[in-house]
Amino acid sequence: MNILVAQSGGPTPVINASLYGVVVQALSEKKITKVLASVNGMEGLLHNRIIELTDKVALIKKAKEQPGAIIGSSRYALTELDYEKIVDRLIELSIEVFCYIGGNGSAVSLHQIHEVCKARKLDIKCIFIPKTIDNDVCGTDHTPGYLSAVHFLTKTIRYLEADMRSISSQPQIEIMEVMGGNVGWLMAASTCRKSARNDFPQLAYLPEQEVSISELLGDIERSLKGSSNILLMVSDHMKIKELNSDITIHNPRKNYNGGISYRLAQEIQIQMNIKTRITIPNSLYRSSMEFVSKQDVLEAEATGREAIKAGLRGETGKMIGIERTANYPYMYQFICVNLSEISGKERSLPANFWDGKQHKATKSFHDYLLPLINLKALPNVVTLENLL
């Protein structure tokens, strides 16, 4: 039996852990003789770039410690003809289980391939392994990749706070741009250490909400009454009525507004005459291995292993989801979710997870997130007030 694995979409810090899980589990099964990989997602199948991983376990295990997708990723938009060609190639390679690691777009692609296989009465098992730092895949408690991005974000905010507190004689504003797609899962996590209104970050805006420049400036003015240093969190998909990033014009990604921080900083400096700096980590959210979550690595690998098990017991057209069974201690189990139920959908942040007036996540979100991360491991900022 031959199995095939591929990676797609934006990488996460743990995408290679899922790949490793697929490979080691496959090689532990007597039925499986070859583990093949399609280079650069579905493009490898279309352009005959197929490699064998059967004897590459040591290298893949090492790749767990590095960012990026080791067998290459892709955002190639598939056509109806492409789907047919991909299935033809799967037949040629004698593939019986196809494991695809990706985000929402990848789920749509694999669902289409599954439908082609079903229509042609082919016994090719299609199993989806979710990954994204955005945490926007439906049908799972959380997505591998999210917890590591949360670790990076929350620790970076603490370090920025320490830096900003160094100079407090004059008002200053730091704008930090947050990835996370169209939903606010990462933005909500940025406020998980916040208890009072003027704690860092003082202001945070979900990508789901649209604000005007006048509203933003009013929020800044009010926050300056309680603190001379303002950390302002904005999404790279943020909607500002009168403002768009120059990047937006030429970017095909839905609602993408990356670089909006530059335009916003200009408006603040022009209208309020306050020093404004910008921090845009961009790919660091998904490539900073020093901040990787151990739980994230564990679950990513286990999800890959479970995909092979599911395929071998006859599941197809399914995603491997995480179902939480307990909070303290955190416990979970894997479930198989029909791709037809999640394909083309986006998991939004529940309304009761966010307090827009206080610019912070609610207790309900804390109850969701805190069992998954070690909040005590986040650095505490020593301030001048502590020394007085």
Side-chain angles (χ1 to χ4, degrees):
M1 176 187 291
N2 295 344
I3 71 112
L4 180 76
V5 62
Q7 297 171 316
S8 186
T12 75
V14 297
I15 190 172
N16 293 325
S18 290
L19 174 65
Y20 177 73
V22 168
V23 175
V24 293
Q25 186 62 41
L27 295 178
S28 73
E29 303 285 351
K30 292 181 180 179
K31 294 180 181 179
I32 298 173
T33 53
K34 277 187 181 181
V35 181
L36 304 177
S38 176
V39 176
N40 295 120
M42 299 291 187
E43 291 184 71
L45 285 162
L46 291 171
H47 304 299
N48 198 29
R49 297 192 65 199
I50 305 297
I51 59 175
E52 186 169 349
L53 302 180
T54 310
D55 59 347
K56 302 292 192 304
V57 178
L59 286 173
I60 297 169
K61 184 177 182 180
K62 189 175 181 180
K64 283 172 58 179
E65 302 171 4
Q66 73 182 47
I70 189 175
I71 56 175
S73 188
S74 173
R75 292 191 188 273
Y76 176 72
L78 297 168
T79 66
E80 292 299 321
L81 182 59
D82 287 334
Y83 290 123
E84 296 289 343
K85 288 180 177 178
I86 286 168
V87 172
D88 288 340
R89 189 72 179 114
L90 292 174
I91 296 169
E92 290 172 8
L93 293 167
S94 301
I95 300 302
E96 293 188 44
V97 179
F98 179 22
C99 296
Y100 200 35
I101 308 169
N104 279 322
S106 306
V108 172
S109 297
L110 190 64
H111 182 231
Q112 288 293 100
I113 289 170
H114 166 67
E115 290 298 315
V116 172
C117 289
K118 189 166 67 171
R120 291 166 62 171
K121 295 181 171 51
L122 298 171
D123 190 22
I124 299 174
K125 309 298 189 297
C126 297
I127 307 295
F128 181 61
I129 301 168
K131 64 87 219 159
T132 174
I133 66 169
D134 301 343
N135 202 35
D136 60 353
V137 175
C138 294
T140 184
D141 181 82
H142 56 279
T143 311
Y146 176 63
L147 299 184
S148 293
V150 168
H151 273 217
F152 170 80
L153 178 59
T154 51
K155 288 185 178 181
T156 300
I157 287 171
R158 275 308 191 230
Y159 299 146
L160 279 174
E161 177 184 350
D163 179 80
M164 292 181 71
R165 286 183 182 276
S166 301
I167 302 174
S168 56
S169 56
Q170 296 179 355
Q172 61 174 330
I173 297 168
E174 182 90 28
I175 302 174
M176 184 174 180
E177 205 163 287
V178 181
M179 293 181 85
N182 298 308
V183 294
W185 291 99
L186 270 180
M187 185 62 77
S190 75
T191 69
C192 68
R193 288 286 294 266
K194 183 175 177 178
S195 55
R197 174 68 185 264
N198 285 316
D199 289 346
F200 283 72
Q202 289 86 351
L203 299 173
Y205 299 89
L206 298 181
E208 295 95 326
Q209 67 183 114
E210 186 177 46
V211 296
S212 66
I213 285 293
S214 59
E215 288 174 314
L216 270 166
L217 297 178
D219 288 342
I220 293 170
E221 202 167 289
R222 283 186 289 274
S223 293
L224 284 170
K225 294 176 181 178
S227 175
S228 60
N229 297 311
I230 304 299
L231 180 57
L232 169 61
M233 311 297 292
V234 302
S235 164
D236 65 1
H237 284 60
M238 187 177 183
K239 304 179 188 74
I240 304 179
K241 291 177 184 176
E242 302 92 341
L243 223 56
N244 275 319
S245 163
D246 295 332
I247 299 173
T248 305
I249 301 169
H250 305 290
N251 197 290
R253 292 171 62 190
K254 181 184 175 184
N255 298 326
Y256 183 69
N257 209 13
I260 188 62
S261 302
Y262 293 106
R263 297 291 305 278
L264 184 55
Q266 288 175 341
E267 289 294 320
I268 292 170
Q269 290 179 141
I270 291 170
Q271 299 199 40
M272 302 187 75
N273 195 28
I274 297 173
K275 180 182 177 182
T276 306
R277 299 184 305 185
I278 302 164
T279 296
I280 307 180
N282 279 341
S283 296
L284 290 175
Y285 283 103
R286 62 193 198 199
S287 62
S288 296
M289 299 303 290
E290 293 79 5
F291 298 97
V292 74
S293 157
K294 291 180 180 179
Q295 184 66 31
D296 207 11
V297 175
L298 178 71
E299 291 180 347
E301 180 181 328
T303 304
R305 289 177 179 272
E306 192 63 29
I308 292 295
K309 295 176 185 177
L312 291 182
R313 65 174 179 261
E315 300 282 4
T316 187
K318 300 292 178 68
M319 177 189 77
I320 305 301
I322 297 171
E323 181 178 68
R324 191 183 312 208
T325 57
N327 276 327
Y328 297 103
Y330 165 63
M331 298 177 70
Y332 65 97
Q333 64 185 15
F334 289 111
I335 56 173
C336 282
V337 181
N338 289 322
L339 282 174
S340 59
E341 296 174 7
I342 62 126
S343 177
K345 298 177 182 178
E346 202 167 53
R347 183 178 179 228
S348 59
L349 185 77
N352 67 323
F353 277 16
W354 185 251
D355 183 344
K357 292 182 179 179
Q358 296 297 319
H359 290 262
K360 67 184 182 75
T362 63
K363 182 182 180 299
S364 295
F365 179 78
H366 285 211
D367 292 342
Y368 164 81
L369 181 66
L370 297 190
L372 305 175
I373 64 170
N374 183 4
L375 197 61
K376 293 179 181 178
L378 298 178
N380 287 314
V381 173
V382 178
T383 66
L384 176 61
E385 287 75 16
N386 298 138
L387 303 176
L388 298 177

